[in-house]
């Protein structure tokens, strides 16, 4: 029995699913959406999906190639924290794949099912899924993804805030967002911690602190003078990407939406959607 493979249709389906999965992964991890990078990554996955149909070899070899392609896709789409992105990419893909399989199965039952006689009994087989139905499903999926992204953007916009930091007589304004997931606090004093991008934080730091914060190395703090060292804290962080120790410092003053607050500023090890992630307790 011969099986006909439509490479263009398979590429289209794989591209759609990979792009959607990358989009969901970016939303969950609060990563910046880069359409061109995500499209390129989805194209790599779709091409591999077609090539895998002709690829032989041991099972372990196939698993290794599949993992390598997934890591490459996450690198192209996100560039940082590849392992955590890949893990979530697999999880989201399994969930979406199950939903789409069930949906395609339901459509198959509606499209001219056939009854065949196999091993002494009659069985009903689903009919072929017309290309038009596949386009409809892909369109609905894409529309749902775009709608979800816009809804998420409106939610983030509603939580936006202004952050003003004063240091050495200079005022530094930031664009921030209230983040319910930011529960970081100073282990010593319990003060909330605002996570700021490295690009935004470094210019306002005292000159003596910059090398340590640029390197992200707590060992470099040993070179600080006692006065500067008292303003620096090590903040334990637990996230999807694993455990880390963030460097934070206490500014001379800061205000959130015009109200004076007592908080620390920590440098983020990864890119953020805004310059600062402000804990909701400071709202």
């Amino acid at each position: 029995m011969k099986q006909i493979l439509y490479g263009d249709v398979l590429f289209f389906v794989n591209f759609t699913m990979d792009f959607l999965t990358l989009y969901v992964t970016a939303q969950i991890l609060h990563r910046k959406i880069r359409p061109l990078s995500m499209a390129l990554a989805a194209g790599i996955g779709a091409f591999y999906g077609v090539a895998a149909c002709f690829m032989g070899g041991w099972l372990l070899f196939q698993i290794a190639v599949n993992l390598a392609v997934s890591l490459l896709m996450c690198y192209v789409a996100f560039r940082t924290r590849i392992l955590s992105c890949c893990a979530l990419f697999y999880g989201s893909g399994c969930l979406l794949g199950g939903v789409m399989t069930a949906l395609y199965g339901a459509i198959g039952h509606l499209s001219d099912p056939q009854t065949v006689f196999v091993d002494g009994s009659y069985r009903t087989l689903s009919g072929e899924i017309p290309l038009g139905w596949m386009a409809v499903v892909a369109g609905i999926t894409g529309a749902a993804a775009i709608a979800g992204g816009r809804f998420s953007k409106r939610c983030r916009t509603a939580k936006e805030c202004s952050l003003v930091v004063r240091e050495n007589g200079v005022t530094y304004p930031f664009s921030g967002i209230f983040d319910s997931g930011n529960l970081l606090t100073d282990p010593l004093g319990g003060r909330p911690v605002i996570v700021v991008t490295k690009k935004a934080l470094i210019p306002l730091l005292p000159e003596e602190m910059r090398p340590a914060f640029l390197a992200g190395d707590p060992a470099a703090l040993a070179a600080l003078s006692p006065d500067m060292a008292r303003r620096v804290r090590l903040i334990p962080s637990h996230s999807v990407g694993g455990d880390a120790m963030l460097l934070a410092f206490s500014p001379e003053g800061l205000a959130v939406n015009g109200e004076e607050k007592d908080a620390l500023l920590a440098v983020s090890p990864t890119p953020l959607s805004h310059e600062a992630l402000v804990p909701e307790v400071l709202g």
Side-chain angles (χ1 to χ4, degrees), residues 7-235:
D8 53 347
V9 175
L10 181 59
F11 182 91
F12 173 75
V13 172
N14 285 340
F15 180 88
T16 302
M17 290 301 299
D18 287 340
F19 189 90
L20 177 60
T21 305
L22 290 169
Y23 184 90
V24 171
T25 301
Q27 289 292 335
I28 294 176
L29 294 179
H30 301 287
R31 296 300 183 88
K32 183 178 180 180
I33 303 296
R34 297 182 175 89
L36 292 179
S37 297
M38 290 175 59
L40 177 59
I44 293 173
F47 178 80
Y48 168 73
V50 177
C53 296
F54 306 95
M55 185 177 67
W58 293 348
L59 177 61
L60 291 179
F61 171 75
Q62 296 180 20
I63 294 176
V65 174
N66 188 290
L67 180 59
V69 172
S70 299
L71 289 172
L72 175 62
M73 292 171 61
C74 290
Y75 174 77
V76 171
F78 304 114
R79 303 298 174 90
T80 59
R81 295 295 181 98
I82 307 303
L83 292 179
S84 59
C85 291
C86 189
L88 187 56
F89 174 74
Y90 269 109
S92 302
C94 290
L95 178 60
L96 293 173
V99 173
M100 296 299 290
T101 299
L103 185 58
Y104 280 134
I107 295 174
H109 282 292
L110 297 176
S111 57
D112 298 327
Q114 300 176 357
T115 301
V116 297
F117 187 78
V118 180
D119 295 333
S121 61
Y122 288 96
R123 299 182 183 180
T124 300
L125 302 179
S126 300
E128 295 184 355
I129 303 175
L131 181 59
W133 273 107
M134 297 179 68
V136 170
V137 172
I140 294 175
T141 303
I146 294 174
R150 290 181 177 178
F151 176 77
S152 176
K153 183 177 180 180
R154 285 199 299 269
C155 291
R156 290 197 298 269
T157 302
K159 295 182 180 180
E160 287 183 350
C161 64
S162 64
L163 172 66
V164 176
V165 179
R166 297 186 303 278
E167 182 65 30
N168 197 27
V170 182
T171 300
Y172 299 88
F174 298 93
S175 62
I177 181 174
F178 287 120
D179 182 15
S180 59
N182 182 3
L183 304 177
L184 298 177
T185 57
D186 180 9
L188 298 179
R191 286 186 292 174
V193 178
I194 300 173
V195 180
V196 185
T197 61
K198 181 180 294 187
K199 181 179 179 181
L201 183 62
I202 295 301
L204 67 86
L205 288 172
E207 190 70 29
E208 188 178 344
M209 290 185 186
R210 293 182 183 179
F213 278 77
L214 280 171
D217 184 9
L221 299 177
L224 297 179
S225 64
D227 289 340
M228 288 295 175
R230 280 193 288 269
R231 300 180 62 190
V232 179
R233 295 287 187 273
L234 294 178
I235 310 298

